[in-house]
Amino acid sequence: MSDYKIVLLKGDGIGPEIVNQAVKVLDKTAEKFGFTVEYDEALLGGCAIDATGVPLPDETVEKCKKADSVLLGAVGGPKWDTQPGNNRPEAGLLGIRGALGLFANLRPAVIFEPLKGASPIKDEIIGGALDIMIVRELTGGIYFGEKGRKEVNGNPAAYDTEMYSVPEIERIARVAFDLAMKRNKKLTSVDKANVLESSRLWRETVIRISKEYPEVELNHLYVDNCAMQLVINPGQFDVIVTSNIFGDILSDEASMISGSIGMLASASLSEGKSGLYEPIHGSAPDIAGLGVANPLATILSVAMMLRYSLDQPKAADAIENAVSTVLKEYRTPDIYAEGTKKVSTDEMGDLVCNAI
Ligand code: NAD
């Protein structure tokens, strides 16, 4: 019997190409660190619509629920743009996140030393290597609160409600504190407690949970200040925890500090250990099948899987170190710089394997 069962949702566009490289790298780490992995594939997105008529077949949900972890490539493409909203490939993505109860979204904003030049932020502001982890609450808050239209003083009006319960805040806070314990033991909780009642409850609850983690240094920032601090002094952050809407915006801002969409991994976690791991970029239909897609975001998603779901931190470190080493000399076209050698998707996968 294998140690871990992983479901692969390769999806559409460049999805299959990049997931294949990530599997190669996972196999290499398994061999090196002495564990075994069994794979199963399932359909999600456009390829699922073509085969079954819907973007998220029941069979896919069942397989993912039984797995130790799920690795997703990307979904979508022009072929399915005429599908009705609830049957588009992206609806499958939202569906699988909901079905697996993924309430915590982890988005690292990392700059690998050799890629510093690609960041829109000046070198002297970045300082040393940058490594921030944003933890975004994913299933509550204003995106899921009561919403509607009504009439106010004879004028049409609309409203959305930001609401968080204490258990929702407690569980996302614990994910963030646990992560901080594994990193530099520094947590920034981001809210708007000077204006919003829901933020005041958020802050009270985070402070209460902090008593369980006396080693973690906790501070609080208002979201507007945090947005500024990310560009003027990003080095001050280790882990950031925040609500769904603030995290949506801040994680995009922070990830752009790294300067390249092909490098950015993410994890979404449920209660318990399992999770869904995916690059943050889409299916890049413009370059699908050309062998030029950057597989590193997906490979780095596997590193996150090893660290957060499979308890193999050394294997995770090995992948991240291998990526950093390879980047000194080799680049896919999206991150190419003079003085380095341009390589294909497949070659990049092989180079990372060889560096492990
Ligand atoms: P995209 O992220 O697919 O592409 C944006 C640009 O970045 C393109 O020029 C693309 O070639 C480039 N790019 C993306 N990933 C790359 C990689 N790994 N290597 C090299 N270059 C890369 O975003 P888009 O073009 O807005 O969307 C394309 C499709 O993907 C749409 O159908 C969209 O709905 C879908 N999408 C899916 C996800 C997901 O599956 N999580 C996320 C975003 C968009």
Side-chain angles (χ1 to χ4, degrees), residues 69-306:
S69 222
V70 180
L71 180 66
L72 168 66
V75 301
K79 182 177 177 193
W80 304 281
D81 277 352
T82 50
Q83 290 281 331
N86 61 359
N87 209 52
R88 286 178 63 115
E90 295 78 3
L93 208 54
L94 293 180
I96 191 73
R97 288 177 183 152
L100 299 180
L102 304 170
F103 70 92
N105 184 229
L106 276 49
R107 288 253 303 252
V110 178
I111 299 188
F112 287 90
E113 187 71 32
L115 287 185
K116 259 185 165 179
S119 173
I121 309 270
K122 288 188 200 127
D123 257 18
E124 58 262 34
I125 289 180
I126 295 170
L130 191 77
D131 183 359
I132 306 172
M133 178 68 81
I134 302 214
V135 180
R136 166 188 171 194
E137 201 288 329
L138 205 57
T139 52
I142 197 164
Y143 294 171
F144 294 91
E146 196 190 318
K147 60 186 80 212
R149 300 270 177 130
K150 61 181 183 180
E151 210 166 272
V152 176
N153 298 331
N155 294 310
Y159 63 96
D160 300 273
T161 316
E162 170 85 344
M163 184 166 80
Y164 272 109
S165 69
V166 166
E168 281 177 310
I169 305 168
E170 285 175 345
R171 68 177 182 177
I172 194 74
R174 286 201 175 92
V175 168
F177 277 108
D178 285 339
L179 274 166
M181 284 298 290
K182 290 184 185 168
R183 294 168 49 102
N184 294 326
K185 301 197 168 78
K186 215 179 147 203
L187 177 63
T188 303
S189 173
V190 175
D191 59 38
K192 190 73 183 165
N194 51 344
V195 181
L196 301 176
E197 196 55 38
S198 53
S199 277
R200 287 192 269 274
L201 182 67
W202 179 281
R203 193 177 282 213
E204 283 163 30
T205 309
V206 172
I207 290 172
R208 183 164 45 72
I209 297 298
S210 73
K211 311 288 182 242
E212 297 168 22
Y213 300 86
E215 285 178 55
V216 177
E217 181 195 327
L218 171 69
N219 72 322
H220 305 272
L221 281 184
Y222 297 138
V223 61
D224 39 351
N225 189 14
C226 184
M228 284 194 294
Q229 295 298 326
L230 276 170
V231 285
I232 58 175
N233 184 13
Q236 70 184 285
F237 296 110
D238 178 20
V239 180
I240 293 175
V241 62
T242 192
S243 63
N244 201 342
I245 185 167
F246 296 161
D248 190 2
I249 299 161
L250 292 178
S251 62
D252 268 10
E253 183 193 359
S255 63
M256 281 309 109
I257 292 173
S258 85
S260 174
I261 197 167
M263 295 294 304
L264 297 163
S266 80
S268 301
L269 307 179
S270 58
E271 310 261 11
K273 283 246 144 203
S274 76
L276 183 138
Y277 295 81
E278 59 182 316
I280 72 155
H281 60 71
S283 60
D286 51 332
I287 55 166
L290 302 180
V292 295
N294 184 347
L296 292 177
T298 319
I299 289 171
L300 291 167
S301 299
V302 163
M304 291 187 83
M305 177 191 286
L306 287 162

Side-chain angles (χ1 to χ4, degrees), residues 27-49:
D27 284 340
K28 181 67 199 266
T29 44
E31 186 192 313
K32 173 143 188 195
F33 290 90
F35 58 88
T36 53
V37 183
E38 189 183 316
Y39 302 99
D40 195 359
E41 286 191 31
L43 296 170
L44 181 79
C47 59
I49 295 172

Side-chain angles (χ1 to χ4, degrees), residues 265-344:
S266 80
S268 301
L269 307 179
S270 58
E271 310 261 11
K273 283 246 144 203
S274 76
L276 183 138
Y277 295 81
E278 59 182 316
I280 72 155
H281 60 71
S283 60
D286 51 332
I287 55 166
L290 302 180
V292 295
N294 184 347
L296 292 177
T298 319
I299 289 171
L300 291 167
S301 299
V302 163
M304 291 187 83
M305 177 191 286
L306 287 162
R307 183 167 290 124
Y308 301 121
S309 283
L310 308 184
D311 271 332
Q312 296 282 351
K314 287 196 176 125
D317 287 345
I319 293 178
E320 286 162 358
N321 292 337
V323 168
S324 200
T325 304
V326 168
L327 283 173
K328 287 180 192 148
E329 261 185 88
Y330 302 97
R331 307 283 174 85
T332 43
D334 58 312
I335 50 171
Y336 175 74
E338 222 169 287
T340 61
K341 187 164 180 272
K342 213 180 270 184
V343 295
S344 68

